[in-house]
Structure formats: C-alpha cells, structure tokens
Amino acid sequence: MIVAFSVAPSGTGRADGSVHDAVAAAVRIVRESGLPHRTTSMFTEIEGEWDEVFAVVKAATEAVGAYGSRVSLVLKADIRPGYTGELDGKLERLEQAINADGETPAAN
C-alpha cells in the first residue's frame, strides 16, 4: 500500500505560524523507517504493508504532537494487495502514457 499523509501541529504559539520544525521531526521518522518514501511540499508518501506504514504514520503524528496543543493529520491510501514498488511504478506508467507516440484514448 501507499499512504500519502500530511501532519502538522496547531496551537504552536509561533508568531510566524511556521511548522517546519514539527514537519522535520515527522519526516525524520519516515526516513529512519527504511520504507520507500517521498516527501514533497505538501505530502509525504510511504509504501509498505498496512501495519508497518501505519506504525510510521502514528509515530510521526506523535512526534508532531510535541510541537503544539493539537495535531492535524490528512491521509490518502492506495491499497493494492500483491503489488510493491508502486511508489515509482505508478509514475513510470504515467510518463509512458504521456509520452506514447500518437496514441489517444478512443472517443466514447
């Protein structure tokens, strides 16, 4: 499965509203997990089995909790049993479809 998640504290008391220190704590946990992952400006994606992925998400969420009085967690999951390597595989198939020579979908 692939899980895309975003976790951030609120009630930090910071005048500038920045949450980068808290997000860094979460991303460190993801990186230390050893699971395939990718972080962008809005989400972190992580791939693995259900229990291992959600254990990392839980630990990351708990780490962020130390930075504020509340935590916001947004999750999106692609659950496809029997498939691995999809963190990159999905993007590779997309690029192949974009770059296909002269192929267009049939009109309905």
Side-chain angles (χ1 to χ4, degrees):
M1 81 180 323
I2 297 172
V3 170
F5 76 102
S6 174
V7 60
S10 59
T12 64
R14 289 184 63 139
D16 65 357
S18 178
V19 296
H20 66 272
D21 291 332
V23 173
V27 172
R28 267 190 226 97
I29 288 169
V30 172
R31 289 181 178 176
E32 291 169 359
S33 75
L35 295 176
H37 64 277
R38 178 179 298 120
T39 298
T40 67
S41 61
M42 296 290 293
F43 285 92
T44 294
E45 299 169 327
I46 185 168
E47 183 174 14
E49 297 299 320
W50 185 281
D51 290 340
E52 61 189 0
V53 167
F54 276 92
V56 173
V57 171
K58 180 180 180 183
T61 302
E62 289 172 345
V64 166
Y67 290 85
S69 58
R70 299 177 84 165
V71 176
S72 172
L73 173 65
V74 177
L75 293 167
K76 181 175 183 180
D78 180 2
I79 303 163
R80 194 170 185 197
Y83 286 80
T84 60
E86 289 297 282
L87 195 63
D88 293 320
K90 290 174 78 166
L91 292 176
E92 290 166 2
R93 290 189 299 278
L94 173 63
E95 288 299 326
Q96 288 172 357
I98 291 169
N99 295 318
D101 291 337
E103 293 181 30
T104 58
N108 292 339

